[in-house]
Structures are given as structure tokens and as C-alpha cells.
Amino acid sequence: MTTPYERTRALLYTREFLEELQSIQKWPQLPDTLRRRAKALARHYPEPWHMHKLHEHIPAFYDSPDSISEDS
């Protein structure tokens, strides 16, 4: 079963990944079509402040983004 911590971490790390995919310096071999797709998806993807709101309203389902460590 997925925990609130794991669910929140997955959302935060996916957002980070979508943002990284947009970097030409980090991913020079990535086709522009994929880079544009990542940008379009990231535009509407939840940000940390959204996760705070979700945690406030449904703490059994989402953890606070502040509890997510970088090394997890």
C-alpha cells in the first residue's frame, strides 16, 4: 500500500523530473517534441504549495511536502 509520504514524494519528484527534462544542458539528446511535452505537463502539475493544501484537507492521503527529504 502506498503511504501518504510516498504519494507526496512521487508527485514532488515527478514535477522535478518534468522540469529537468526541459533542460537542454542536462538532456541535450532529448528531442524537442519530448521537451515541449514535459513543459506542457509541468505547467499544470501540482506545485509544493498545492501539496500543502492537499495535506491540510486530506492528511490521510497526502503528507506535507516539508517532510520529504532530498535523499529519499
Side-chain angles (χ1 to χ4, degrees), residues 3-10 12-13 48 51-52 55 59 61-72:
T3 67
Y5 177 88
E6 292 166 330
R7 193 173 291 113
T8 303
R9 183 181 64 192
L12 293 172
Y13 285 9
M51 301 307 300
H52 280 287
H55 174 65
F61 204 70
Y62 291 102
D63 209 344
S64 169
D66 298 334
S67 70
I68 310 301
S69 65
E70 289 296 317
D71 18 307
S72 297

Side-chain angles (χ1 to χ4, degrees), residues 4-7 16 19 23 25 27-28 30 32 36-37 40 44 46 50 54 56 58 68 70:
Y5 177 88
E6 292 166 330
R7 193 173 291 113
E16 183 180 308
E19 290 172 351
S23 170
Q25 291 77 24
W27 301 94
L30 195 67
D32 285 341
R36 285 192 301 270
R37 180 76 174 164
H44 303 289
H50 292 114
L54 285 168
E56 286 175 19
I58 42 177
I68 310 301
E70 289 296 317

Side-chain angles (χ1 to χ4, degrees), residues 27-42:
W27 301 94
Q29 74 284 9
L30 195 67
D32 285 341
T33 54
L34 223 47
R35 199 178 311 284
R36 285 192 301 270
R37 180 76 174 164
K39 183 177 182 176
L41 291 170

